Amino acid sequence: MYKSVCVIGGGACGLATVRGFLEEGGFEKVVGFEQRPSFGGIWNYHELADQNLSIPSVDPLAVVNPIKTETGYVWPNAVYDALETNTPYPLMEFRDFKFPESTPLFPHRSVVLDYISRYGEDLRQYYRFNTRIVEVRRRHKWIVRSRTVCDATAGGFKESASVPDTVEEYDAVMVATGVYDLPFIPELKGLRQWHKKYPNTILHSKTFRSPRELAGVEGNILVIGNSASGNDICYQFARYTGRNIYKSARSASRVPGGTSDLVIEMPDISHLDPNTASVFFAESKRLENVGCIIFATGFLRSLPFFAEINRSEKPLISDGSRIHGLYRHCWSYEHPGLAFIAISRYVLPFHVAEIQGIWLAKILRNKIFLPSFAAIASQERHLLSLRGNLPCFHDLLYPDDIEYMDLLMKDIRMASDSGRLPKEWTELEIALRKNTKLLKAKCLQHFERTGKRLTLHEALSWI
């Protein structure tokens, strides 16, 4: 029987997981760990950006270090100045916890951070802040080593006799650290030579804060990637400067975002030529006088505190494309008692985390029984044959995300006694999910015309 649970991460998904276990009850110890001094996870914006990029960046075992400031340690993240969600806020709401009615349909990052902070206020007593997880090992139980983030430990990155590590045993470990920490910058022909000849001209979307930073770049700017951050960087730059910006994309974007005639789309990259400051593409295309290249190419799956497991015959991480050995993209069937929260791209992470937290709590309480090891392993092999060992392995695009959550909900309903159920999909939420790209485009167009952001009530006529 599982009695003690460690939850790593104090963002929205970690909070939803902790709440799910507390509401299920029957656990003697539920402890959350957060390396920052407050809740919010990735939504904790800071103007400092991580400039210590490895170029290329392809090692999933690399560690992202914090930045020392006068007031403490900062973990730079992928949140930029003008970031607004690309998800309507009703789809981000936890059960029985609403955004203010005046909230714009696609709220600013600061509104989301405030929402998460308020949601977690009654969970503060279960968390240890300024505490970094250093190591997680499996013995007869899970051995969790944590370290205080302070000057004596260099922000939690070195042992200190004066501030010793804490070592504890837990029956289960839930990992809710997100997937936006370690930048992925692929190896391209000519990239290393370019970086050597033109230092500080290779960026990653994680380092982007504002188009003002790019306005003074001499030469053309090329963005590589066509997902949320790539689209947003191009749109913001074009709108702010009135200049052309180039975007290399392998396929059409799957996420909503702004558009501009100043964003010139280019095909996939062939190679970089630092001698002529040119980038060559498929279809024999070429872009000359390139002054800055921004990789909006996503992030590597990175779990540095599982170093021992990752050196074993059953690693969680190999090349950083996916997490191995998971049932329903969540429960580790190779390492029982271990689970990962909301790791799939394109999902509604708050909603998914809330459902997964309750689902996992019932698994650990023996109220939900899983298929056999052989059956689960067979399912993973089948999915691998369909998708390959690629970053898309865990993706859940609409309507796959709704079907996925329905599967978990079915298990929860069958196991429910007096426990509370996760939030059910409403007709409005399904309509919002179905029409998100349209709504985002309409809201951006409205803002360009009027300077005002639309509310949910004002946008209902479009769905």
Side-chain angles (χ1 to χ4, degrees):
M1 182 68 72
Y2 296 89
K3 289 294 185 180
S4 57
V5 181
C6 161
V7 178
I8 306 174
C13 297
L15 291 172
T17 304
V18 168
R19 191 177 298 281
F21 278 87
L22 293 174
E23 290 187 350
E24 174 64 31
F27 299 98
E28 296 174 357
K29 183 179 181 181
V30 178
V31 181
F33 293 86
E34 170 54 50
Q35 62 188 6
R36 294 181 175 89
S38 60
F39 291 131
I42 190 176
W43 296 97
N44 276 292
Y45 167 83
H46 198 282
E47 64 271 14
L48 291 177
D50 184 4
Q51 301 296 345
N52 295 318
L53 293 175
S54 297
I55 299 174
S57 176
V58 294
D59 180 10
L61 303 182
V63 177
V64 177
N65 294 310
I67 298 174
K68 177 71 169 67
T69 70
E70 292 182 357
T71 58
Y73 289 86
V74 173
W75 272 267
N77 56 30
V79 174
Y80 39 88
D81 293 4
L83 176 66
E84 296 176 352
T85 70
N86 55 18
T87 300
Y89 77 80
L91 302 182
M92 302 176 70
E93 289 180 330
F94 292 112
R95 181 197 59 208
D96 301 330
F97 196 80
K98 300 289 186 180
F99 277 88
E101 288 188 8
S102 60
T103 300
L105 185 60
F106 296 92
H108 184 257
R109 55 170 174 77
S110 60
V111 177
V112 180
L113 176 60
D114 178 69
Y115 175 81
I116 296 170
S117 299
R118 290 187 293 108
Y119 176 76
E121 194 57 41
D122 63 327
L123 300 177
R124 186 170 295 274
Q125 62 184 307
Y126 299 98
Y127 265 85
R128 300 178 193 171
F129 296 98
N130 294 308
T131 305
R132 179 174 176 266
I133 298 299
V134 177
E135 182 183 35
V136 179
R137 296 179 289 120
R138 177 69 178 174
R139 296 297 183 263
H140 65 289
K141 291 191 175 187
W142 289 97
I143 312 300
V144 177
R145 179 184 294 272
S146 61
R147 185 176 297 160
T148 302
V149 174
C150 61
D151 288 343
T153 65
F157 279 81
K158 75 174 186 180
E159 290 191 64
S160 169
S162 61
V163 187
D165 294 353
T166 299
V167 180
E168 300 168 289
E169 292 185 343
Y170 289 90
D171 297 317
V173 175
M174 309 287 112
V175 182
T177 52
V179 293
Y180 302 103
D181 192 37
L182 183 59
F184 171 56
I185 299 178
E187 180 77 79
L188 295 175
K189 183 180 178 181
L191 177 62
R192 294 176 187 267
Q193 296 85 346
W194 186 292
H195 177 53
K196 184 177 181 179
K197 185 169 185 176
Y198 307 112
N200 303 318
T201 65
I202 302 291
L203 306 177
H204 187 272
S205 59
K206 186 183 178 183
T207 68
F208 173 78
R209 289 296 178 268
S210 167
R212 293 188 301 273
E213 302 168 343
L214 303 174
V217 171
E218 295 182 2
N220 293 313
I221 296 177
L222 171 66
V223 174
I224 302 173
N226 200 28
S227 196
S229 59
N231 289 342
D232 220 6
I233 291 170
C234 289
Y235 175 71
Q236 287 190 31
F237 177 86
R239 192 165 184 270
Y240 180 79
T241 66
R243 289 170 50 190
N244 288 337
I245 186 169
Y246 297 82
K247 180 176 66 172
S248 171
R250 291 180 175 178
S251 58
S253 179
R254 297 174 172 178
V255 296
T259 59
S260 170
D261 291 338
L262 296 174
V263 179
I264 301 174
E265 297 206 358
M266 305 294 285
D268 198 13
I269 289 180
S270 168
H271 64 279
L272 286 65
D273 182 5
N275 293 323
T276 60
S278 300
V279 176
F280 291 80
F281 304 84
E283 303 171 16
S284 300
K285 292 190 176 183
R286 174 180 179 177
L287 180 63
E288 301 178 334
N289 189 28
V290 176
C292 180
I293 302 174
I294 304 172
F295 282 83
T297 42
F299 297 80
L300 293 164
R301 306 278 178 178
S302 176
L303 300 167
F305 40 82
F306 285 113
E308 183 177 270
I309 289 180
N310 286 331
R311 290 192 300 265
S312 72
E313 295 180 355
K314 298 177 180 178
L316 295 163
I317 298 288
S318 54
D319 63 359
S321 295
R322 66 184 181 100
I323 300 177
H324 301 283
L326 298 187
Y327 174 57
R328 292 186 177 172
H329 306 291
C330 183
W331 173 264
S332 175
Y333 65 89
E334 295 279 13
H335 306 284
L338 176 63
F340 298 86
I341 311 301
I343 67 167
S344 295
R345 299 185 302 182
Y346 308 115
V347 300
L348 307 171
F350 293 17
H351 199 173
V352 167
E354 188 172 52
I355 293 175
Q356 286 178 336
I358 295 173
W359 183 70
L360 289 165
K362 292 186 181 299
I363 289 174
L364 298 187
R365 293 284 293 153
N366 290 328
K367 295 180 180 179
I368 292 176
F369 297 95
L370 303 178
S372 68
F373 180 96
I376 293 176
S378 176
Q379 290 180 25
E380 186 186 35
R381 287 194 300 271
H382 177 67
L383 185 60
L384 185 61
S385 70
L386 295 176
R387 297 189 176 184
N389 187 47
L390 299 169
C392 66
F393 181 83
H394 295 297
D395 288 358
L396 291 171
L397 288 158
Y398 174 85
D400 292 345
D401 59 333
I402 294 181
E403 294 174 2
Y404 171 81
M405 287 186 277
D406 284 344
L407 279 175
L408 301 191
M409 285 293 294
K410 181 180 179 181
D411 287 347
I412 292 169
R413 291 191 196 97
M414 292 178 64
S416 286
D417 36 33
S418 58
R420 299 176 71 186
L421 293 172
K423 184 177 77 169
E424 299 275 2
W425 282 92
T426 66
E427 290 186 9
L428 172 62
E429 288 171 343
I430 293 175
L432 289 172
R433 183 61 169 153
K434 183 178 180 180
N435 293 283
T436 293
K437 292 187 77 169
L438 169 66
L439 290 169
K440 182 69 174 183
K442 293 286 188 181
C443 285
L444 288 171
Q445 292 165 8
H446 180 81
F447 181 75
E448 289 175 358
R449 291 194 308 270
T450 68
K452 297 180 180 179
R453 290 173 171 80
L454 287 171
T455 64
L456 171 63
H457 178 74
E458 293 169 327
L460 285 178
S461 61
W462 291 323
I463 62 175

